[in-house]
Amino acid sequence: MAGLSLKKNLLTLVLVVILAGALVPGNVKGQNSVVDIVTDDFFNGILNQANEDCSGKSFYSRAAFLSSLSSYYQFRSGSADESKREVAAFFANVAHETESLCYIEEINGGSQDYCDETNTQYPCNPDKKYFGRGPLQLTRNYNYVAAGNSIGFDGLNCPETVATDPVISFKTALWFWMTNVHQVLNQGFGATIRAINGAIECNGGNPGAVQSRIQYYTQYCNQLGVAPGDNLSC
């Protein structure tokens, strides 16, 4: 009887392990998962480009990024090459926006409140400012509110949370990416620039910024061993 009971327990354990593996989302397991693509060397290679006195050096981390992925299973949901290009595109825009994860907040961001008063659905808190914060420099009251509602923080009254909680900070970047950028990836890297800051940078608006993003993207694609594809500029 004791032997039969032991066999049942072992069988139960095996089933639990199998089911647990099946429930792990595809973007955090497998040979071409984000965990495998965004290695310590890849992430720290970006972070190490920032100056030692940068605030982001002690704020952004690979662990915080990977933790934030739990809410965004569709990030990196294509083939192996598509996965690598999405990671390269995401971090290329992040590196440009933050100067290689140096900045948590927009430089001189406090000089503007970025309150869109025409958006009556999200009235601004007069004591808060909605300047760029986080890996993709989340900006404006309506984005803070929408991101907060999706992620679970008070973006309207506590926008500074994006600059004090590294996991939430990365979640806002992934929220913006999945809401506005992910769906245009098949149009080429240039489409990601247009989705993020096209009104200011594209069509000759700021060719230096566009080239900066492209340079990061091609660099990361080379590191990951994937062709960057067509339509790099906007």
Side-chain angles (χ1 to χ4, degrees), residues 128-163:
K128 299 295 180 178
K129 295 185 177 182
Y130 305 96
F131 54 80
R133 297 180 178 92
L136 284 181
Q137 297 289 278
L138 188 72
T139 308
R140 298 200 179 279
N141 52 307
Y142 49 83
N143 280 325
Y144 274 94
V145 174
N149 289 343
S150 175
I151 295 166
F153 75 98
D154 190 349
L156 186 66
N157 298 305
C158 301
E160 61 276 5
T161 304
V162 181

Side-chain angles (χ1 to χ4, degrees), residues 113-124:
D113 58 19
Y114 290 99
C115 172
D116 182 357
E117 296 180 350
T118 64
N119 195 313
T120 56
Q121 184 179 0
Y122 303 130
C124 301

